[in-house]
């Protein structure tokens, strides 16, 4: 697949997606969002791909935010439409039945932070800086940041990050649960790939069901979430994957 602002390749069941605008610190513009929709649609439909690693080109940034030129042209009407469009893109990433690992290799600010939040798992290099600085521009996060960050790290920590706009370093992100772990810069992609390969050794239907149970359960009352888990568990009990897994024990 050929893209203007993304690099895409696959190896051993893993898709590697790189936001490739290093001269703009990989800032998200409309074209990049369109290409993210396209590439994740392709990934979801490709049976040979079972996990995705998402990162940014260069040594400075994962994604440093939205494109400033496009932000400057916003009005009340097209601003709301733009936010919904970005939410749709990141929602599609979050809804994928295949795990997506964000390899945060530098600045993940604004839309970059929101993109990482939409992924299933997050690894960060030691130099990573993560934040939602939108209030300093007179706006708020619009691609899901106010909702996903609160669910991930709790309302109080999310409110402090959003209301001050101050970024946090990788160690703080790990401490509050925003990222799964921090690794040396030169080990970021190898560690992300090793994590993806560990997941690939598990039953693909079970992985997809676990992602669904976790994702949807967060938005359900506990009793409803437990019932959803039970239904998914029952559906898996009849699969070949379960019986093969039991035989391997």
């Amino acid at each position: 697949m050929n893209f203007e602002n993304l690099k895409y390749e696959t190896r051993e069941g893993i898709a590697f997606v790189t936001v490739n605008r290093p001269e703009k610190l990989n800032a998200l513009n409309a074209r990049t969002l369109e290409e993210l929709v396209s590439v994740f649609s392709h990934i979801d439909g490709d049976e040979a791909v079972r996990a995705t690693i998402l990162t940014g080109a260069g040594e400075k940034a994962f994604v440093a935010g939205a494109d400033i030129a496009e932000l400057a042209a916003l009005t009340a009407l097209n601003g709301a439409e733009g936010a919904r469009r970005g939410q749709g893109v990141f929602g599609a990433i979050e809804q994928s039945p295949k795990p997506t690992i964000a390899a945060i290799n530098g600045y993940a600010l604004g839309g970059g932070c929101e993109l990482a939040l939409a992924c299933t798992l997050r690894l960060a290099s030691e130099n990573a800086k993560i934040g939602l600085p939108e209030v300093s521009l007179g706006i708020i996060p619009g691609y899901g940041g106010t909702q996903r960050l609160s669910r991930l790290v709790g309302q109080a920590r999310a409110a402090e990050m959003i209301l001050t706009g101050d970024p946090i370093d990788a160690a703080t992100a790990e401490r509050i649960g925003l990222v799964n772990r921090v690794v040396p810069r030169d080990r970021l992609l190898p560690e992300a790939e090793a994590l993806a390969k560990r997941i690939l050794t598990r039953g693909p239907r079970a992985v997809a069901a676990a992602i669904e149970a976790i994702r949807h359960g967060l938005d359900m009352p506990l009793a409803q979430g437990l019932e959803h888990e039970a239904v998914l568990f029952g559906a898996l009990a009849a699969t070949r994957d379960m019986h093969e897994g039991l035989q391997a024990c």
Side-chain angles (χ1 to χ4, degrees):
M1 301 181 72
N2 294 317
F3 297 100
E4 179 181 339
N5 295 333
L6 300 180
K7 291 181 180 178
Y8 178 76
E9 62 176 312
T10 60
R11 293 196 306 270
E12 301 179 75
I14 303 169
F16 295 81
V17 178
T18 304
V19 181
N20 187 33
R21 301 183 75 209
E23 73 286 353
K24 299 289 187 181
L25 296 180
N26 302 321
L28 296 173
N29 61 4
R31 179 66 174 172
T32 308
L33 290 173
E34 291 170 2
E35 291 183 352
L36 284 169
V37 170
S38 178
V39 76
F40 275 92
S41 176
H42 174 79
I43 288 167
D44 286 350
D46 187 347
E47 293 184 0
V49 173
R50 292 179 49 203
T52 302
I53 294 172
L54 177 62
T55 193
E59 298 183 356
K60 293 183 178 180
F62 172 71
V63 169
D67 190 286
I68 295 297
E70 292 187 358
L71 283 178
L74 293 179
T75 65
L77 179 60
N78 64 21
E81 292 173 348
R84 294 187 188 102
R85 184 164 55 252
Q87 289 172 4
V89 175
F90 292 177
I93 295 171
E94 184 180 51
Q95 295 291 323
S96 174
K98 304 175 183 183
T100 300
I101 301 169
I104 305 171
N105 57 312
Y107 291 110
L109 304 176
C113 176
E114 292 172 300
L115 177 58
L117 291 172
C119 295
T120 319
L121 300 166
R122 284 156 294 280
L123 302 185
S125 61
E126 293 170 324
N127 65 312
K129 297 288 186 182
I130 304 171
L132 294 169
E134 284 86 348
V135 292
S136 63
L137 302 175
I139 53 176
I140 64 171
Y143 290 177
T146 63
Q147 305 306 302
R148 291 192 179 95
L149 185 61
S150 298
R151 285 165 169 77
L152 187 64
V153 305
Q155 181 178 336
R157 289 191 175 103
E160 183 174 357
M161 286 183 64
I162 293 167
L163 297 180
T164 65
D166 294 336
I168 59 174
D169 60 23
T172 302
E174 182 180 31
R175 178 173 57 80
I176 68 175
L178 201 164
V179 302
N180 295 82
R181 64 178 180 270
V182 178
V183 300
R185 185 188 305 188
D186 62 351
R187 293 295 304 162
L188 179 61
L189 287 179
E191 290 289 340
E193 188 170 356
L195 178 57
K197 287 180 176 178
R198 283 175 57 198
I199 295 171
L200 262 58
T201 66
R202 281 35 176 179
R205 291 185 180 88
V207 168
I211 291 172
E212 181 180 343
I214 294 166
R215 182 176 62 237
H216 291 297
L218 286 171
D219 295 323
M220 296 176 178
L222 178 58
Q224 188 178 352
L226 290 170
E227 177 57 24
H228 187 53
E229 177 185 85
V231 170
L232 292 169
F233 182 94
L236 290 169
T239 64
R240 179 184 300 175
D241 281 1
M242 190 200 78
H243 294 288
E244 289 178 350
L246 291 174
Q247 291 171 4
C249 292

